[in-house]
Amino acid sequence: MTSSNRIEAVRRFNRFYTRQIGVLNEGLLDSEFTLTECRILWELAHLDDGAGITATDLGRLLDLDAGYLSRLLRALKERELVDATRSKDDARQSLLQLTAAGCLAFEPLERRSQQQVEALLSRLSDTQQAELLQAFQRVQLLLDEAGGKLAKNSFILRPHRPGDMGWLVSRHGALYAREYQFDMGFEALVARIAADFIDRFDASREACWIAERDGVNIGGVCLVQARDEATKQPLDRTAQLRLLLVEPSARGLGLGERLVAECHRFAREAGYQRVWLWTNSQLSAAKHIYSKAGYKLIESEPFQGFGHDLIGETWELDLTTQQV
């Protein structure tokens, strides 16, 4: 898709969604207020009890021009919906708050907004609602990341559940095709690993962690009982780290290191003495995480796969020499 096609696709969605939520109407939510006025009232209504906010901070929060915001606030003050009082901590600052009339004016706006969204969602099944919310959260995640708004530890780690292994397979296939031009043979390999994980899963010896932010998967990893490649028999006191993935939008948060650390914690508690993994020489970011965690490269061998001539690498971590 060309750049102009992408721009038009975004504009087309904007036109569609603004029509869906009725922001083109003269008054938002069948009210006398514009969209921007409603946002100002919403922000002021959701301040901490007894707190106020300066016009400067409000403008920064809403990304509004100072002059435009000043005109809107003047109009709201004239209607006795917003009041400004001197700050107790700094007499040079005025803090904005809703008046009693402002609170009364906001209540129907909040109620109508909830009813509007409820009506929108009611047209969809539970499955479709979940898909829609994930799509919304994915958009927010990508745009927040592009704007530099993601913070470290802005995610949770949870155990895998139905659908997660399929997600790991899909995202591995898509990302490695895009970033390393791997063919679908790689996705097939990941699918076999995921299937083996499900078929052989032993919660006392194996685990999967999915990193999630606002309901959207942004990474994952598995730790399994290591097995002999030829006989498939378990290797004594040896675990294998598999399927480490961090979405591009979540890189730089320390997520990869956190996922690997969780594997090591679990491995120690399960009685493993070593962890090994297989990767290839191209994956410099992943190898940096492994090296930083104490892994040593113990074997490398050229191979042809995934549409390329590659060098496979085996790395190992001796847990008995690692400090907890």
Side-chain angles (χ1 to χ4, degrees):
M1 182 180 287
T2 65
S3 176
S4 60
N5 288 339
R6 291 172 182 169
I7 291 171
E8 179 52 34
V10 173
R11 294 180 65 193
R12 185 167 56 249
F13 177 80
N14 287 343
R15 293 192 296 271
F16 164 80
Y17 192 62
T18 52
R19 187 171 66 251
Q20 289 286 320
I21 61 176
V23 297
L24 300 179
N25 298 331
E26 185 174 351
L28 187 69
L29 299 169
D30 298 322
S31 75
E32 58 184 304
F33 301 105
T34 66
L35 172 61
T36 310
E37 288 172 331
C38 285
R39 276 302 311 275
I40 291 172
L41 295 176
W42 190 95
E43 294 296 345
L44 295 179
H46 288 82
L47 295 172
D48 293 335
D49 290 342
I53 187 171
T54 65
T56 300
D57 288 341
L58 181 62
R60 187 181 298 114
L61 183 64
L62 296 176
D63 195 21
L64 288 178
D65 173 75
Y68 177 48
L69 176 61
S70 178
R71 292 192 295 274
L72 291 172
L73 288 172
R74 186 184 312 119
L76 292 172
K77 290 176 184 177
E78 289 173 355
R79 293 152 74 180
E80 299 184 347
L81 302 177
V82 173
D83 191 19
T85 58
R86 290 293 177 187
S87 170
K88 295 178 181 179
D89 298 324
D90 187 345
R92 295 169 299 176
Q93 291 187 333
S94 293
L95 299 179
L96 300 168
Q97 291 178 311
L98 288 184
T99 64
C103 292
L104 286 175
F106 176 74
E107 286 176 4
L109 296 177
E110 181 80 346
R111 184 173 62 254
R112 289 172 198 160
S113 179
Q114 291 177 346
Q115 291 170 345
Q116 182 190 61
V117 174
E118 183 179 12
L120 183 69
L121 292 175
S122 68
R123 293 151 47 185
L124 306 175
S125 67
D126 287 345
T127 299
Q128 289 172 323
Q129 289 183 24
E131 291 176 359
L132 179 67
L133 295 178
Q134 278 224 332
F136 283 165
Q137 291 160 350
R138 179 67 177 158
V139 170
Q140 183 178 349
L141 177 69
L142 289 171
L143 295 181
D144 276 354
E145 187 274 337
K149 294 182 180 179
L150 288 186
K152 287 184 180 293
N153 299 320
S154 60
F155 56 83
I156 62 169
L157 298 186
R158 61 167 176 79
H160 67 290
R161 58 192 181 208
D164 286 330
M165 301 312 295
W167 175 80
L168 278 173
V169 173
S170 172
R171 294 307 293 154
H172 269 88
L175 288 176
Y176 279 71
R178 187 178 76 191
E179 297 183 355
Y180 302 104
Q181 292 73 55
F182 282 11
D183 63 22
M184 293 186 70
F186 178 72
E187 190 169 351
L189 171 65
V190 176
R192 285 191 289 271
I193 294 171
D196 286 342
F197 176 82
I198 295 172
D199 290 341
R200 297 170 176 165
F201 182 62
D202 176 356
S204 67
R205 306 287 292 166
E206 300 174 321
C208 174
W209 294 265
I210 298 295
E212 185 180 284
R213 181 179 184 270
D214 294 335
V216 178
N217 293 352
I218 58 173
V221 72
C222 297
L223 187 83
V224 301
Q225 168 72 63
R227 295 175 181 271
D228 183 272
E229 288 294 321
T231 66
K232 305 302 179 185
Q233 292 301 306
L235 298 177
D236 185 44
R237 299 181 183 179
T238 304
Q240 184 174 4
L241 189 151
R242 312 211 78 166
L243 304 184
L244 176 65
L245 177 81
V246 176
E247 286 281 0
S249 60
R251 291 171 186 170
L253 304 180
L255 176 54
E257 293 179 11
R258 174 73 184 280
L259 288 167
V260 169
E262 286 298 312
C263 288
H264 299 164
R265 178 192 59 76
F266 180 90
R268 290 188 180 93
E269 292 176 356
Y272 290 113
Q273 293 186 351
R274 66 190 64 83
V275 181
W276 67 272
L277 60 90
W278 181 87
T279 185
N280 72 76
S281 58
Q282 280 184 278
L283 308 185
S284 56
K287 289 165 54 179
H288 175 73
I289 293 173
Y290 303 144
S291 178
K292 187 176 179 180
Y295 283 83
K296 305 297 183 184
L297 175 63
I298 61 173
E299 185 180 351
S300 62
E301 183 179 8
F303 76 100
Q304 189 173 44
F306 320 137
H308 300 276
D309 292 324
L310 301 169
I311 299 176
E313 297 182 350
T314 301
W315 293 64
E316 185 175 271
L317 173 70
D318 185 349
L319 292 174
T320 64
T321 64
Q322 291 290 304
Q323 293 184 349
V324 179

